[in-house]
Amino acid sequence: MSQELAIDVRGLVKRFGSKTAVDGVDIQMPRGEVWGFLGPNGSGKTTTIRMICGLLRASEGEGQCLGYDIRSEADRIKSKTGYMTQKFSFWSDMTIRENIEFVARLYRLPHTRKVVDETLDKLGLTHRQHQLAGALSGGWKQRMALAAVTMHDPQLLLLDEPTAGVDPQARREFWDEIHELSLQGMTVLVSTHYMDEAERCDRIVYLANGHKIVEGTVSDVIDRSGLVTFRGEGPDVRHLAKQLKGQPGLDHVAYFGAALHVSGEDREKIRSVLDAHSGHDVAWQEVRPSLEDAFIALMAEAGEDTREHA
Amino acid sequence: MTQRVAPLFRMWAVFLKETVQMRRDRLTFAIMFGMPIIQLILFGYAINLNPKHLPAALLVEEQTPIVRTLVQSLESSDYYDFVLQTADPMESSDLLARGEVTFVVSFPAGFTRELVRGERPQILIEADASDPAAASGAVSQAQQVLERALRHDIKGPLAQFGRAPPAFELVVHQKYNPEAKTSYNIVPGLLGVILTMTLVMITSIAMTREVEQGTMENLLAMPARPAEVMLGKILPYVAVGAGQTALILIAARVLFDVPFAGAFWILLLGVSVFVIANLSLGFTFSTIAGSQMQAMQLTFFYFLPSMLLSGFMFPFRGMPAWAQTLGEVLPLTHFLRIVRGVMLKDASLAQLQSPLLALCAFTLVVMTVAMVRYRRTLD
Ligand SMILES: Nc1ncnc2c1ncn2[C@@H]1O[C@H](COP(=O)(O)OP(=O)(O)OP(=O)(O)O)[C@@H](O)[C@H]1O
Ligand SMILES: [Mg+2]
């Protein structure tokens, strides 16, 4: 069965000394899909990805990646996986071309010269190929990294916050590229903190404190959160926000542009609070909770980081 | 008041922070204390500028009480340790060429008879002067020691031979470096020293630099095997080593007039093995050290005994046994035997077999350690 699954891991645990960074994560990800990997800082996303591609030895748990055992067949996994690290990890003291060439040679791609030329061309970096990679701007570094890790046509792409620090236009192009790669048959697991990116994924895995909290489509996740959200618009929302915060029944009060979202689990309780503050010039309307509302609720539910700190 | 002591508090804070960090960095800590201890031991005990107990071969073609007395006197002078007695001049000169003995003392056939007749027979001391410092003390003492032996130890009817002028003629052959020029000894040695220092240093940061620059994660995520990474990182520097060698050999010729007695290809073979030995050692350091700084310190830590115990600075055979044993472990020791052997003594491949094999063995061991230590994962 595992041939159908690109990633099939169970009970992954990673301890660093006395600290448990990842605590019993299961992921069963079918081939050909694009999944989003979300969770607050330090929730264990990077650590999980590293265990999947054999860069970290799991303290507990087992599984396969592309049908290969994550413990004993890391070399095979590496040759069929493209892993883009969270921090830029190409060689700053080598030129863009030299970096790409190095990767092409390590994967022993035939016709190195041609492949490298094509890659640079597709990237649009041909005219800057002799610049040091370290001199690229943040966004361009990310694009170069994506090009480098996809050059060997991997079956699985693991992208760790690939769009951090990338401008909106470039971000959109980045995602177009991801969907393009997915159409070609690549399986893609992307970690991100952006809600709009999460909404572009087939499914979402949400991690908090090293535990998997939810997994599902965007609407699954919103439903699972059990939230009710009211949206208020009007000139007085700013005054009202202060008064509403902390009222019983209102779990979160947050601005969405000029509007105010108040969310909670009990529709009637929210209504009664809003009625009690009806003196203001604000129009209230129940809306479907956004993914962000859901995540904030999930984060609050997950509570304090209870993992032991070394 | 608080204003004036603020710098003190900040200094104290930094002091505490540095203390904590220093204690965390075990390796640096160990080196900081290990270095002076080792220096003290080496300078205090191992180095001997008037080396005694140097290995010598005895070439005697006759066995008489007088010859035995004279040999005895050389031995009890503490300068000569006769490790072999032979009647075959081939055997003794081969030992000298290999550097296993520093002297060959020969008593020719008919020595005793000529002495009795007052014909002043010769005693020949051939000294390995490729290292002038080693031989000089022992050679300068020989005349006196032998004369005194004839004067005091020989009693009875033969006692007259102990009187001046000496009844024998001491002939000293300073072989391989007749003018006893120290540069002949130092310059070829310097080739080994420079290769050791630079090559070990350069590869010692091979992996630590990847770790420090954050590129290790990328390298590990790609399908590069440890041995591939090691060799890939070592090989470019073989060319560097070749360039350094050429430079030093040219300088030896042009600036110092050092002769080149032997076969160039044997030296080339020796240099190649030695360069690879040093590069692998550096790479191994880089798999042990946690940072580039530590790698540099390890290199320095290694460099010190290489200079002092290899026979570069001080005569190898003049060191105490334990220091010689330590020295045998160092590649530089073996390389010095090769380079001095080829350049000054025209040594043959067969004569240099054991240092060459020692270098190969060292390289193998060190590479094995590197492979065991190489990080395949990030933890
Ligand atoms: N090598 C390590 N040694 C010790 N602790 C580590 C190590 N790597 C990660 N951790 C800890 O494990 C936890 C999870 O880290 P991880 O990097 O996986 O989080 P993340 O979800 O990727 O966070 P972010 O969104 O900030 O990238 C953190 O608390 C981190 O401090
Ligand atoms: Mg991360």
Short mmCIF file of all heavy atoms in Angstrom, two decimals, chain A residues 216-248:
data_model
loop_
_atom_site.label_atom_id
_atom_site.label_comp_id
_atom_site.label_asym_id
_atom_site.label_seq_id
_atom_site.Cartn_x
_atom_site.Cartn_y
_atom_site.Cartn_z
N GLY A 216 -6.46 18.01 7.53
CA GLY A 216 -7.63 17.95 6.66
C GLY A 216 -7.61 19.07 5.66
O GLY A 216 -6.64 19.81 5.56
N THR A 217 -8.74 19.19 4.91
CA THR A 217 -8.83 20.28 3.95
C THR A 217 -9.08 21.57 4.74
O THR A 217 -9.38 21.53 5.94
CB THR A 217 -10.00 20.07 2.99
OG1 THR A 217 -11.19 20.04 3.76
CG2 THR A 217 -9.84 18.76 2.22
N VAL A 218 -9.01 22.69 4.04
CA VAL A 218 -9.21 23.96 4.72
C VAL A 218 -10.57 23.99 5.42
O VAL A 218 -10.68 24.35 6.60
CB VAL A 218 -9.10 25.13 3.70
CG1 VAL A 218 -9.53 26.44 4.33
CG2 VAL A 218 -7.68 25.22 3.18
N SER A 219 -11.63 23.55 4.72
CA SER A 219 -12.94 23.63 5.37
C SER A 219 -13.06 22.61 6.50
O SER A 219 -13.70 22.88 7.51
CB SER A 219 -14.07 23.49 4.36
OG SER A 219 -13.91 22.31 3.63
N ASP A 220 -12.41 21.46 6.36
CA ASP A 220 -12.35 20.51 7.48
C ASP A 220 -11.81 21.19 8.73
O ASP A 220 -12.35 21.06 9.82
CB ASP A 220 -11.38 19.35 7.18
CG ASP A 220 -11.97 18.31 6.25
OD1 ASP A 220 -13.20 18.39 6.02
OD2 ASP A 220 -11.21 17.46 5.75
N VAL A 221 -10.69 21.88 8.51
CA VAL A 221 -10.00 22.49 9.65
C VAL A 221 -10.88 23.54 10.29
O VAL A 221 -10.98 23.63 11.52
CB VAL A 221 -8.64 23.08 9.21
CG1 VAL A 221 -8.01 23.88 10.33
CG2 VAL A 221 -7.70 21.96 8.77
N ILE A 222 -11.56 24.33 9.44
CA ILE A 222 -12.43 25.38 9.98
C ILE A 222 -13.59 24.75 10.75
O ILE A 222 -13.90 25.15 11.88
CB ILE A 222 -12.93 26.29 8.84
CG1 ILE A 222 -11.74 27.06 8.26
CG2 ILE A 222 -14.01 27.25 9.34
CD1 ILE A 222 -12.07 27.85 7.02
N ASP A 223 -14.17 23.70 10.16
CA ASP A 223 -15.27 23.01 10.86
C ASP A 223 -14.79 22.42 12.17
O ASP A 223 -15.46 22.52 13.20
CB ASP A 223 -15.84 21.89 9.98
CG ASP A 223 -16.55 22.43 8.75
OD1 ASP A 223 -16.83 23.66 8.74
OD2 ASP A 223 -16.79 21.66 7.81
N ARG A 224 -13.63 21.79 12.11
CA ARG A 224 -13.08 21.12 13.28
C ARG A 224 -12.87 22.11 14.44
O ARG A 224 -12.98 21.74 15.60
CB ARG A 224 -11.74 20.48 12.91
CG ARG A 224 -11.28 19.38 13.80
CD ARG A 224 -11.96 18.07 13.46
NE ARG A 224 -11.81 17.74 12.04
CZ ARG A 224 -10.75 17.12 11.52
NH1 ARG A 224 -9.74 16.80 12.28
NH2 ARG A 224 -10.70 16.82 10.24
N SER A 225 -12.58 23.35 14.10
CA SER A 225 -12.31 24.32 15.16
C SER A 225 -13.59 24.65 15.94
O SER A 225 -13.51 25.14 17.06
CB SER A 225 -11.72 25.59 14.57
OG SER A 225 -12.71 26.30 13.86
N GLY A 226 -14.78 24.36 15.36
CA GLY A 226 -16.05 24.60 16.06
C GLY A 226 -16.31 26.06 16.37
O GLY A 226 -16.99 26.39 17.34
N LEU A 227 -15.76 26.95 15.54
CA LEU A 227 -15.88 28.38 15.82
C LEU A 227 -17.12 28.99 15.21
O LEU A 227 -17.63 28.52 14.19
CB LEU A 227 -14.67 29.11 15.23
CG LEU A 227 -13.40 29.24 16.04
CD1 LEU A 227 -12.50 30.26 15.38
CD2 LEU A 227 -13.69 29.62 17.48
N VAL A 228 -17.58 30.02 15.87
CA VAL A 228 -18.61 30.89 15.31
C VAL A 228 -17.99 32.27 15.24
O VAL A 228 -17.40 32.73 16.22
CB VAL A 228 -19.86 30.94 16.21
CG1 VAL A 228 -20.91 31.85 15.59
CG2 VAL A 228 -20.38 29.55 16.46
N THR A 229 -18.08 32.92 14.08
CA THR A 229 -17.44 34.22 13.95
C THR A 229 -18.44 35.28 13.50
O THR A 229 -19.28 35.03 12.63
CB THR A 229 -16.29 34.14 12.93
OG1 THR A 229 -15.35 33.18 13.38
CG2 THR A 229 -15.60 35.49 12.77
N PHE A 230 -18.38 36.42 14.16
CA PHE A 230 -19.19 37.58 13.73
C PHE A 230 -18.24 38.65 13.26
O PHE A 230 -17.17 38.85 13.83
CB PHE A 230 -20.03 38.11 14.89
CG PHE A 230 -21.23 37.25 15.17
CD1 PHE A 230 -21.12 36.11 15.93
CD2 PHE A 230 -22.48 37.61 14.64
CE1 PHE A 230 -22.22 35.32 16.17
CE2 PHE A 230 -23.58 36.82 14.89
CZ PHE A 230 -23.48 35.67 15.66
N ARG A 231 -18.69 39.32 12.18
CA ARG A 231 -17.85 40.37 11.62
C ARG A 231 -18.58 41.69 11.83
O ARG A 231 -19.76 41.83 11.50
CB ARG A 231 -17.69 40.08 10.13
CG ARG A 231 -16.92 41.10 9.34
CD ARG A 231 -16.95 40.69 7.86
NE ARG A 231 -16.33 41.70 7.02
CZ ARG A 231 -15.04 41.70 6.70
NH1 ARG A 231 -14.27 40.74 7.14
NH2 ARG A 231 -14.55 42.65 5.93
N GLY A 232 -17.87 42.63 12.41
CA GLY A 232 -18.48 43.93 12.65
C GLY A 232 -17.82 45.01 11.82
O GLY A 232 -16.59 45.05 11.70
N GLU A 233 -18.65 45.86 11.19
CA GLU A 233 -18.09 46.95 10.40
C GLU A 233 -18.77 48.26 10.78
O GLU A 233 -19.95 48.27 11.10
CB GLU A 233 -18.30 46.68 8.90
CG GLU A 233 -17.24 45.75 8.34
CD GLU A 233 -17.55 45.29 6.93
OE1 GLU A 233 -18.61 44.64 6.74
OE2 GLU A 233 -16.76 45.57 6.03
N GLY A 234 -18.03 49.31 10.76
CA GLY A 234 -18.61 50.60 11.10
C GLY A 234 -17.55 51.50 11.69
O GLY A 234 -16.44 51.05 11.99
N PRO A 235 -17.85 52.78 11.84
CA PRO A 235 -16.85 53.75 12.31
C PRO A 235 -16.38 53.49 13.74
O PRO A 235 -15.29 53.90 14.12
CB PRO A 235 -17.58 55.09 12.21
CG PRO A 235 -19.02 54.79 12.07
CD PRO A 235 -19.16 53.41 11.52
N ASP A 236 -17.18 52.81 14.56
CA ASP A 236 -16.84 52.69 15.98
C ASP A 236 -16.08 51.41 16.35
O ASP A 236 -15.85 51.17 17.53
CB ASP A 236 -18.12 52.75 16.82
CG ASP A 236 -18.52 54.20 17.07
OD1 ASP A 236 -17.71 55.09 16.72
OD2 ASP A 236 -19.61 54.42 17.59
N VAL A 237 -15.70 50.58 15.36
CA VAL A 237 -15.12 49.28 15.73
C VAL A 237 -13.89 49.40 16.61
O VAL A 237 -13.65 48.59 17.50
CB VAL A 237 -14.77 48.40 14.50
CG1 VAL A 237 -16.01 47.83 13.87
CG2 VAL A 237 -13.95 49.17 13.50
N ARG A 238 -13.13 50.45 16.41
CA ARG A 238 -11.88 50.58 17.19
C ARG A 238 -12.16 50.78 18.68
O ARG A 238 -11.46 50.21 19.52
CB ARG A 238 -11.03 51.72 16.67
CG ARG A 238 -10.66 51.44 15.25
CD ARG A 238 -9.31 51.90 14.84
NE ARG A 238 -9.07 51.34 13.52
CZ ARG A 238 -8.13 50.46 13.25
NH1 ARG A 238 -7.31 50.09 14.19
NH2 ARG A 238 -8.01 49.97 12.05
N HIS A 239 -13.17 51.58 18.98
CA HIS A 239 -13.53 51.78 20.39
C HIS A 239 -14.06 50.50 20.99
O HIS A 239 -13.79 50.17 22.13
CB HIS A 239 -14.58 52.88 20.52
CG HIS A 239 -14.11 54.19 19.99
ND1 HIS A 239 -13.11 54.91 20.60
CD2 HIS A 239 -14.46 54.89 18.89
CE1 HIS A 239 -12.87 56.00 19.90
NE2 HIS A 239 -13.69 56.01 18.85
N LEU A 240 -14.84 49.81 20.17
CA LEU A 240 -15.52 48.63 20.66
C LEU A 240 -14.54 47.48 20.96
O LEU A 240 -14.75 46.72 21.91
CB LEU A 240 -16.54 48.18 19.59
CG LEU A 240 -17.69 47.30 20.07
CD1 LEU A 240 -18.38 47.95 21.26
CD2 LEU A 240 -18.68 47.09 18.94
N ALA A 241 -13.51 47.40 20.14
CA ALA A 241 -12.59 46.27 20.27
C ALA A 241 -12.08 46.13 21.70
O ALA A 241 -12.07 45.04 22.27
CB ALA A 241 -11.41 46.45 19.32
N LYS A 242 -11.69 47.28 22.29
CA LYS A 242 -11.14 47.25 23.65
C LYS A 242 -12.15 46.71 24.64
O LYS A 242 -11.81 45.95 25.53
CB LYS A 242 -10.74 48.68 24.06
CG LYS A 242 -9.28 48.94 23.83
CD LYS A 242 -8.78 50.09 24.71
CE LYS A 242 -7.50 50.63 24.12
NZ LYS A 242 -7.71 51.91 23.42
N GLN A 243 -13.40 47.15 24.46
CA GLN A 243 -14.42 46.72 25.42
C GLN A 243 -14.76 45.25 25.27
O GLN A 243 -15.10 44.58 26.24
CB GLN A 243 -15.68 47.56 25.21
CG GLN A 243 -15.43 49.04 25.44
CD GLN A 243 -16.64 49.87 25.08
OE1 GLN A 243 -17.78 49.38 25.08
NE2 GLN A 243 -16.41 51.14 24.76
N LEU A 244 -14.67 44.76 24.01
CA LEU A 244 -15.09 43.38 23.78
C LEU A 244 -14.06 42.36 24.24
O LEU A 244 -14.39 41.25 24.63
CB LEU A 244 -15.39 43.16 22.29
CG LEU A 244 -16.65 43.86 21.76
CD1 LEU A 244 -16.81 43.62 20.27
CD2 LEU A 244 -17.90 43.35 22.50
N LYS A 245 -12.80 42.76 24.16
CA LYS A 245 -11.74 41.82 24.53
C LYS A 245 -11.93 41.35 25.97
O LYS A 245 -12.14 42.14 26.87
CB LYS A 245 -10.36 42.47 24.37
CG LYS A 245 -9.73 42.08 23.05
CD LYS A 245 -8.34 42.61 22.87
CE LYS A 245 -8.00 42.47 21.39
NZ LYS A 245 -7.02 43.41 20.92
N GLY A 246 -11.87 40.01 26.14
CA GLY A 246 -11.96 39.47 27.48
C GLY A 246 -13.38 39.24 27.97
O GLY A 246 -13.57 38.73 29.08
N GLN A 247 -14.39 39.63 27.18
CA GLN A 247 -15.76 39.36 27.60
C GLN A 247 -16.02 37.85 27.60
O GLN A 247 -15.50 37.14 26.74
CB GLN A 247 -16.75 40.04 26.63
CG GLN A 247 -16.76 41.56 26.70
CD GLN A 247 -17.45 42.08 27.95
OE1 GLN A 247 -18.20 41.36 28.60
NE2 GLN A 247 -17.20 43.33 28.30
N PRO A 248 -16.83 37.38 28.53
CA PRO A 248 -17.10 35.93 28.56
C PRO A 248 -17.78 35.49 27.26
O PRO A 248 -18.65 36.19 26.75
CB PRO A 248 -18.02 35.77 29.76
CG PRO A 248 -18.56 37.12 30.04
CD PRO A 248 -17.53 38.11 29.59
#
